[in-house]
Amino acid sequence: MLDSDLIARVAALEAKEEVRATIAHYNTIADEMKALDHLMDMFTDDAVVYSSSGKLAGRVAIEKFFRRAFDGGTEFNQHYVTNQVVDILPNGFARHRAYFVALQGSQGESKIILGQYDDRLVRTNQGWKFSSKVHAILGVTTPEAGWAHGFAETSPE
């Protein structure tokens, strides 16, 4: 017979990996910039996204933001997520925090973007979904400018 504490610990580890997989799936869809409907399926109906564009409340506002990003002339987008911390919270909720580095090609210019995620997710019958997503841009540079003196405090959006 398995110890109930062991079962709970294994369930928490599995939940953390499911959240990490959700984040990876989110970035894959966002980087491909093709399947907006699939991306939107990753958000609850009342989700809130915080970005350099401000607070976006609800699926309509979030979809408009991503549609503009997908159609905005970006030719290449690749996110690398690091330093992930996932906390499994009571009642089917989770918090995900991480840094990301994004390589982006847009309108003939290459950019390196440093950012931070602070996400709240909820477990649904369809898997984990974002109820709140912070997409903070910490800095932007180009390969030519480098980052020896830090990143510029401008946003690519």
Side-chain angles (χ1 to χ4, degrees):
M1 179 179 276
L2 289 176
D3 176 302
S4 63
D5 182 55
L6 177 61
I7 292 171
R9 289 177 23 223
V10 169
L13 290 172
E14 287 176 338
K16 287 181 179 189
E17 287 306 307
E18 290 168 358
V19 169
R20 286 185 183 97
T22 299
I23 302 303
H25 186 62
Y26 164 84
N27 280 306
T28 297
I29 293 172
D31 286 346
E32 290 173 351
M33 299 179 288
K34 294 178 185 171
L36 183 58
D37 54 336
H38 293 303
L39 187 68
M40 292 311 303
D41 287 342
M42 299 185 76
F43 291 88
T44 62
D45 289 339
D46 60 349
V48 177
V49 171
Y50 299 89
S51 74
S52 58
S53 298
K55 178 180 176 181
L56 308 163
R59 289 174 61 105
V60 171
I62 295 167
E63 183 174 354
K64 184 178 177 183
F65 168 78
F66 280 110
R67 183 174 308 285
R68 192 173 65 241
F70 282 20
D71 296 340
T74 298
E75 300 166 33
F76 177 81
N77 214 26
Q78 187 71 53
H79 285 73
Y80 298 92
V81 181
T82 185
N83 294 25
Q84 290 183 300
V85 176
V86 177
D87 298 310
I88 302 301
L89 307 171
N91 302 316
F93 289 91
R95 181 178 183 196
H96 169 263
R97 291 163 288 160
Y99 290 105
F100 67 85
V101 174
L103 305 179
Q104 188 178 79
S106 181
Q107 300 171 352
E109 185 177 39
S110 298
K111 296 178 184 176
I112 303 166
I113 304 161
L114 177 63
Q116 188 171 18
Y117 292 142
D118 190 349
D119 307 319
R120 302 292 192 281
L121 298 96
V122 60
R123 187 188 303 242
T124 71
N125 291 336
Q126 296 81 37
W128 290 95
K129 291 190 176 209
F130 295 103
S131 60
S132 172
K133 182 157 196 32
V134 175
H135 187 265
I137 303 297
L138 303 177
V140 179
T141 192
T142 64
E144 298 79 21
W147 50 87
H149 302 289
F151 280 71
E153 294 182 18
T154 59
S155 170
E157 301 170 323

